[in-house]
């Protein structure tokens, strides 16, 4: 794809004491990420964004494969496509939550969805996902949910007093 745009910028005053502070990009420590995305283009985009930021990524191709990988290894966060063959994201998340029942474990699961209509967020949360990101995935939204996942992991690893 090729994108073109035109932008016109003015110059900033030399001393802008009242100017708002520029938001600094969020920096997230490297995480172990399970990226369950069946679409090759979406998977490659997410994989490149994640690896660029230093995350270790395992990319299963569907929900069933994701559950098998989770049974073999541990991950800080699961990025779960909602619509996948074999086992969709809702079914895979339900299986994860069922496996956690009666334990203190809680796998942080982020829904990846092209659905951004009213009620879609609630549907993902009601299905047991912790949060969600709309597709196409932006670097900023991905980084924000990974920061949330890192905070969850850090809280769960703290010794209880």
């Amino acid at each position: 794809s090729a994108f073109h745009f035109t932008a016109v910028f003015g110059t900033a005053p030399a001393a802008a004491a009242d100017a708002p502070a520029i938001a600094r990009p969020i920096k997230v420590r490297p995480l172990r990420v399970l990226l369950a995305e069946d679409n090759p283009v979406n998977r490659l985009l997410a994989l490149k964004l994640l690896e660029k930021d230093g995350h270790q990524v395992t990319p299963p191709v569907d929900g069933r494969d994701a559950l098998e990988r989770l049974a073999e290894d541990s991950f800080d966060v699961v990025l779960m496509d909602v619509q996948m063959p074999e086992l969709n994201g809702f079914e895979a998340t339900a299986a994860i939550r069922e496996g956690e029942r009666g334990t203190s474990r809680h796998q942080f699961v982020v829904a990846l969805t092209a659905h951004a209509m009213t009620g879609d967020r609630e549907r993902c949360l009601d299905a047991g996902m912790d949060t969600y990101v709309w597709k196409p995935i932006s670097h900023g939204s991905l980084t924000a949910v990974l920061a949330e996942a890192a905070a969850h992991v850090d809280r769960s690893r703290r010794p209880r007093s």
Side-chain angles (χ1 to χ4, degrees):
S1 298
F3 300 92
H4 301 274
F5 66 94
T6 302
V8 179
F9 300 98
T11 57
D18 295 332
I22 296 172
R24 295 179 191 249
I26 300 171
K27 184 71 175 152
V28 179
R29 67 174 175 77
L31 298 172
R32 298 194 70 231
V33 179
L34 185 71
L35 172 63
E37 169 64 69
D38 67 308
N39 180 288
V41 173
N42 291 339
R43 184 173 51 245
L44 181 62
L45 171 64
L47 186 67
K48 293 298 180 187
L49 289 173
L50 291 163
E51 288 178 341
K52 178 183 171 209
D53 287 344
H55 303 292
Q56 182 184 348
V57 185
T58 300
V61 294
D62 60 40
R64 191 169 315 285
D65 190 18
L67 291 178
E68 290 171 7
R69 303 284 181 110
L70 281 166
E72 297 167 358
D73 207 348
S74 64
F75 297 88
D76 296 315
V77 60
V78 176
L79 300 178
M80 183 76 75
D81 183 16
V82 171
Q83 295 180 319
M84 291 184 289
E86 296 296 319
L87 198 64
N88 69 39
F90 294 116
E91 295 164 333
T93 301
I96 291 168
R97 297 299 179 233
E98 182 60 33
E100 293 171 341
R101 193 179 311 268
T103 73
S104 61
R105 293 177 308 164
H106 179 84
Q107 177 65 63
F108 198 88
V109 178
V110 177
L112 301 178
T113 180
H115 302 285
M117 302 297 287
T118 303
D120 289 326
R121 178 180 185 277
E122 291 74 19
R123 183 174 175 218
C124 292
L125 298 178
D126 290 346
M129 297 165 174
D130 295 285
T131 189
Y132 82 130
V133 173
W134 294 311
K135 291 193 251 178
I137 298 169
S138 74
H139 187 246
S141 63
L142 186 58
T143 301
V145 297
L146 292 176
E148 190 178 342
H152 167 79
V153 170
D154 293 344
R155 280 191 307 273
S156 66
R157 289 183 180 161
R158 264 189 230 138
R160 301 210 165 121
S161 22

